[in-house]
Every structure is written in C-alpha cells, then in structure tokens.
Amino acid sequence: MSAGAASTATLTVSTATGEFTFTESLRELADVTCSATYRGDGSHTPATARATVTITK
C-alpha cells in the first residue's frame, strides 16, 4: 500500500479451530498481498500462506 493510503484492518482468530478472518478497507487501486504465518507447536507444524488481491474499482 502506498504512503498516504487509508486502511482499516481487523483480525479475528479462533484458537479452537485455527481459522482466522482478516478485513481491510483500502481507498486506492492496488495489488495488496496479505500473509499469515503460524509458528507451530508440539502438535502442529509451522505454516505460511499468502494471497494477493487486485483492487480495481
């Protein structure tokens, strides 16, 4: 996101299911890449996910 762009972000994580929701409101046209990383624990392996969204209007 370029300098001066306004954004609002909310991240909700469920420790019971490991699911999360991420909401961000952008005011500029752009490609936005969101990443999530989990360090793992004694029962689960580490994981990383990445998604790119193109804001066109």
Side-chain angles (χ1 to χ4, degrees), residues 2-3 7 11 15-16 22 26 29-32 34 37 39 42-43 48-49 52 55:
S2 65
S7 68
L11 178 63
T15 55
F22 184 84
L26 302 170
L29 304 181
D31 286 346
V32 178
C34 298
T37 301
R39 294 183 188 166
S43 301
T48 301
T52 300
I55 310 301

Side-chain angles (χ1 to χ4, degrees), residues 11-55:
L11 178 63
T12 305
V13 178
S14 168
T15 55
T17 64
E19 297 176 345
F20 69 93
T21 302
F22 184 84
T23 304
E24 185 173 16
S25 300
L26 302 170
R27 294 186 182 178
E28 293 185 8
L29 304 181
D31 286 346
V32 178
T33 302
C34 298
S35 300
T37 301
Y38 174 67
R39 294 183 188 166
D41 60 21
S43 301
H44 303 91
T45 60
T48 301
R50 177 178 284 168
T52 300
V53 177
T54 302
I55 310 301

